[in-house]
Amino acid sequence: VEAFLNGDFGAPRDVGPYRAALFYALDRAAARKKILDWLAAGDTVIADRYTASNLAYSGAWFTNARERTTFWRWAEVLEFETLGLPRPDRVIVLAVPVQTSQKLVLLKKARSYLRRGKRDVHEKDRSLEQRVLAMYQALTRRDRTFRLINCAPSGKLLSKTEVRDKVLAAL
């Protein structure tokens, strides 16, 4: 994943959605036992960018809805059946306008896995970010476990407390 996000395999379009999805799925598979142990112990597991990210980010490369749906099915079989990752009970999508997310990226502390600036290959592509947001919106309509929270309803970013309250309400 680190090599992909740094562009070592080329641009995301060159890598393609299926290969990119494999990178992330295998990364999650490495954490599978730990996640299953936590769940077996009765713990609540909160994951940042879990399986839905594959559906949204890789799905954003498809212009044909039928091909995208075929990819989504493939990715779900890969993650949940082939790799045995647990299905989430709830997926919370924190949605912000692309312009806002671009500003927030610049405020992030240095990320150790990035070797070339503050933005990864996805964050550099504003049109991709817009398509990803559209994918999350489509997934929310498709899957009842998804809840989309608009974190900037009037164009202004909600406070952390307001976002927390909306997340708790969605749970």
Side-chain angles (χ1 to χ4, degrees), residues 45-159:
V45 178
I46 299 172
D48 181 11
R49 302 283 175 110
Y50 193 55
T51 56
S53 289
N54 252 351
L55 303 179
Y57 276 86
S58 292
W61 290 102
F62 293 92
T63 56
N64 180 289
R66 180 174 285 144
E67 290 175 3
R68 181 174 44 250
T69 299
T70 299
F71 168 79
W72 282 347
R73 286 188 191 120
W74 173 85
E76 288 172 330
V77 167
L78 170 68
E79 302 236 24
F80 302 128
E81 295 175 29
T82 305
L83 297 176
L85 293 166
R87 286 186 184 271
D89 296 318
R90 178 77 63 225
V91 176
I92 305 292
V93 178
L94 303 178
V96 297
V98 171
Q99 184 177 9
T100 303
S101 76
Q102 289 284 314
K103 289 177 185 175
L104 292 173
V105 166
L106 296 176
L107 297 175
K108 287 182 177 183
K109 293 180 182 174
R111 293 174 279 174
S112 61
Y113 63 88
L114 289 179
R115 297 186 303 273
R116 299 179 190 110
K118 284 199 139 199
R119 295 180 185 184
D120 66 35
V121 293
H122 292 126
E123 295 163 341
K124 291 176 183 176
D125 185 343
R126 287 184 183 195
S127 69
L128 173 62
E129 288 202 350
Q130 190 61 48
R131 295 190 317 272
V132 167
L133 178 57
M135 290 299 99
Y136 277 121
Q137 291 165 335
L139 288 162
T140 301
R141 290 188 298 274
R142 172 184 178 257
D143 188 328
R144 301 177 100 186
T145 63
F146 280 67
R147 297 289 185 275
L148 189 132
I149 296 173
N150 184 350
C151 294
S154 61
K156 182 178 180 262
L157 201 58
L158 296 176
S159 70

